[in-house]
Amino acid sequence: VTGKVLFDGEFLDALDALRIVARRVPAGGRHGEQRSRAPGGGAEFTDVRPYVPGDDLRTLDWHLLRRLDRLFVRLYLQEQDLPIHFLLDQSGSMARAEDGKSRARAAKHAVAALCYVALAQLDRVAIWPFAERALEPLPGASGTHGFQRVLAFLSGLADDGTTGLVEAVDRFARRGLRRGLCVVVSDFFDPRGIEPVVAALQRVRHRLLLVRPVLPHEARPELGGELELLDCEDADRTLKLTVDRAVLDRHEAAYAEFTQALLRFARRVGAGVWTVRAELPVVPQLGELFRAGALAV
Amino acid sequence: MNWAALSPLTAALGLLAVSGAVLLLHVLRVRLRRVPVDTLLFFQVAAGPERRRTLWQRLARWLPLLVAWLLAAALWNAFADLRDARERRSTLVVVPADGSARLAAALAQARELAAHGLGPEGKVIAAGATPRLLWRSGEPLRCLDLRAADLVASGPSHVDATVRALRELVPDGEVFVAGGGPQPRPGCLQVWLEDGPPQELVAALRGAEGLACELWGKEAIVAGAPAAEVVRLPLPEAAGALELRLVRGSEVVARVPCPAPGQARAVVLGPGVPASVGLAVRSDPQLVLREPEAGAAGAVHVACEPAEPPLPRLLIGAGTGGGPRTPQATAHCPLPLSLRDLRRAEAPALDMRAGEVPWVIDAGSGAPLVVATASSVRIASWLLEEEARRDVPVLVAGSLRWLHGLPSVALAPAGGGVDLPLAPPFATVGGLPLLVTGAPSTVPAGPGTQTVRSGSHERVVLGFQAVAAAPRAPAETQAPPAPIGSGELLPWLLGLGLLLVALDLFLHARGRWP
């Protein structure tokens, strides 16, 4: 994945117009473009308060002093950055391809696009790839120059192994990082089902954005006959099955229930869900996520 | 072809081969295709209760194997030649090239036999001063014609020596002398019997003047005594009778004095007599089998008292709705009668005269249609009309054989065949001319065929040759088409079967076929 592959000039211009707007930005971050609740040296005036010793004299409101003969300091809204953490699934199921298009490729494109938007507005990004265990992360990148680091990092990721989504989310939740946006990029296929995944995601104290790359026929695979189905992540997991129309109908129903469970969880916790179709270019699909040019998280 | 003609080893090997192929194809079909999927999560939900297959479901997967095997066995049974080539006997036809006038007839007969097939090692050999190969199996019949045209027949033939040499060279083969061959001794029959499919034996013997008898049997003789020779030896003329001697190898197993034509004899068989003898006696219309007497053992005894000859009868079934009537032969009728015409309602029956016995009657009304005496036959005139004429030759042939001891020959209405001077006692009501074909319907003339003139009567007496009753092949057929049952269709059928199985595998693999 390189910058040339991901974007051309036109799309970069389109991405430049996109913004990620955080409703709340926790204090303690670096200077950025997100408006923080913490008063500080921002440009936007919010309030005044009585002066207490130790306050910066430069913030004294001289107009109030002259009229009221009392000391007040002006309060400005501090603009801080939004930490955005990407949990990127690199398991074998992400690497499976149909017609040369894989979920992993779409996932990297989506991460790269979101990183570009975030870095352009001086937010800080971190990428935490995982398979059955945590992979070497990109702990932090900021500034527009950090985009090349992101691309280089994504290019070096390998897709292999089983899915350890629950463990990866739990590890991330235990890190105690500054709250921000957690973007989970995965197919959410865990052998234990969707319930443990939902439970793990619920323990994350960040705002959540679930990015789910999908393949065209994953709801109703084009299979039939006497088959021995192999889990692409673990060859020891097999299922001998006569796949006919009835089985495919039930498969489709189970897949729909899986999707609904994920959406119900997202609605409950106020998380966003972005379904990325792997067979289509990613950047045009950003429009579904950035309504009116902004993604409010 | 049926299973009765199977050699157990051949059947077992054939079915084993077919079963192996069917099993292999079935295993290929039921072999599970390994398909990697993203996750088994949804398939496990979709499989649900089907994962726990019941016993019937497990068996049902093998049901196609059973069906395929049954189909293969049915095809094998229906089309394959179940006899191994080594078990098929070859026929060696010896043509006496002695310069006599019968050479042309012998060559024609050899050609006809060759057209029917002489087996894998069949040959036509000219037995002249030096034996010469004229034709061998696999060659077109034109080779036989060309070599026969170059055949220079002169001098004495060495048929006997040739036959003996061929018997030693091909001990399992059948040696046939065409157009004459070794002249049978007066009153002596030689019947070469062939194992295999049912065959009809027709043999007749011209013995002393006025004495002629027939052996008319079925395949029971073959099945019971495949290696036996049936020989009728002449008795001294003073004895006034002929004797049927059954010989197995060099041992005479039974002697049956043969009655004169029209004279039935009661025969009692001892318990040690081979069953084939009993069957032979039963098949002879002029012999009546009696229960064995006490003390009789191991021999054939012929009672001297004449028995009532069992006249053959033909019962014509009533039919339904005016449709064709189905003939039904009585047990003693030796003729393959076939009455295919419609009996007209106004068809008159014959009035029985003194001394006449009904020979053909209408089963519906009991009216006699053909009556016979010891010396004459009367046939209802309408049977000789055009509509019914197809059946008349059969009736007349039976009459001739019954009255005059003539062999079974096929008679045909006017328009074909060779004139047969009918004996004066034979008369047809209405005076319609009848013709007889030159060749018997199913039995080619064997060695010893001769025409015997007895006073104003002329009789055709066939030699004694056992051949399989087979339909006559077209005379100019160079390569007869592969008959059903020859096994030659098997590769094509197997190819078609493999194509279907491949199509089945393809559709199954694509999930478009259960």
Side-chain angles (χ1 to χ4, degrees), chain A residues 93 96 103 189-191 193 215 221 223-232 237-242 247 250-251 254-255 258, chain B residues 29-51 53 61 508-513:
Chain A
S93 62
R96 269 188 30 86
R103 294 189 188 91
F189 292 158
D190 191 284
L215 290 173
L223 297 174
E226 299 279 345
L227 302 179
E228 183 176 11
L229 303 171
L230 310 175
D231 192 322
C232 67
R237 284 207 301 265
T238 62
L239 176 65
K240 295 178 180 177
L241 185 63
T242 302
V247 170
R250 291 196 291 270
H251 182 282
Y255 182 84
F258 173 86
Chain B
R29 185 184 187 281
V30 301
R31 189 181 63 175
L32 300 181
R33 191 158 53 99
R34 296 166 66 91
V35 178
V37 294
D38 301 331
T39 179
L40 297 178
L41 190 61
F42 309 123
F43 282 108
Q44 286 169 339
V45 176
E50 285 193 5
R51 296 183 63 190
R53 293 175 181 273
R61 292 188 59 193
H508 176 73
R510 298 293 299 268
R512 298 177 181 177
W513 193 255

Side-chain angles (χ1 to χ4, degrees), chain B residues 337-361:
Chain B
L337 293 177
S338 171
L339 197 64
R340 298 184 294 270
D341 65 303
L342 293 173
R343 186 182 70 84
R344 295 184 305 183
E346 65 274 16
L350 295 176
D351 295 328
M352 297 287 292
R353 298 173 183 170
E356 289 181 335
V357 293
W359 193 60
V360 176
I361 63 174

Side-chain angles (χ1 to χ4, degrees), chain A residues 144-181:
Chain A
T144 53
H145 61 279
F147 186 60
Q148 292 303 320
R149 286 182 60 200
V150 170
L151 292 183
F153 178 79
L154 292 176
S155 301
L157 287 178
D159 312 312
D160 195 12
T162 59
T163 299
L165 178 58
V166 174
E167 292 77 8
V169 172
D170 281 339
R171 274 195 306 271
F172 177 75
R174 288 196 300 268
R175 286 182 184 275
L177 298 172
R178 178 174 166 242
R179 289 188 183 181
L181 175 64

Side-chain angles (χ1 to χ4, degrees), chain A residues 102-121:
Chain A
S102 67
R103 294 189 188 91
R105 180 175 178 275
K108 289 176 181 177
H109 284 206
V111 169
L114 291 174
C115 284
Y116 183 84
V117 173
L119 292 174
Q121 59 187 34

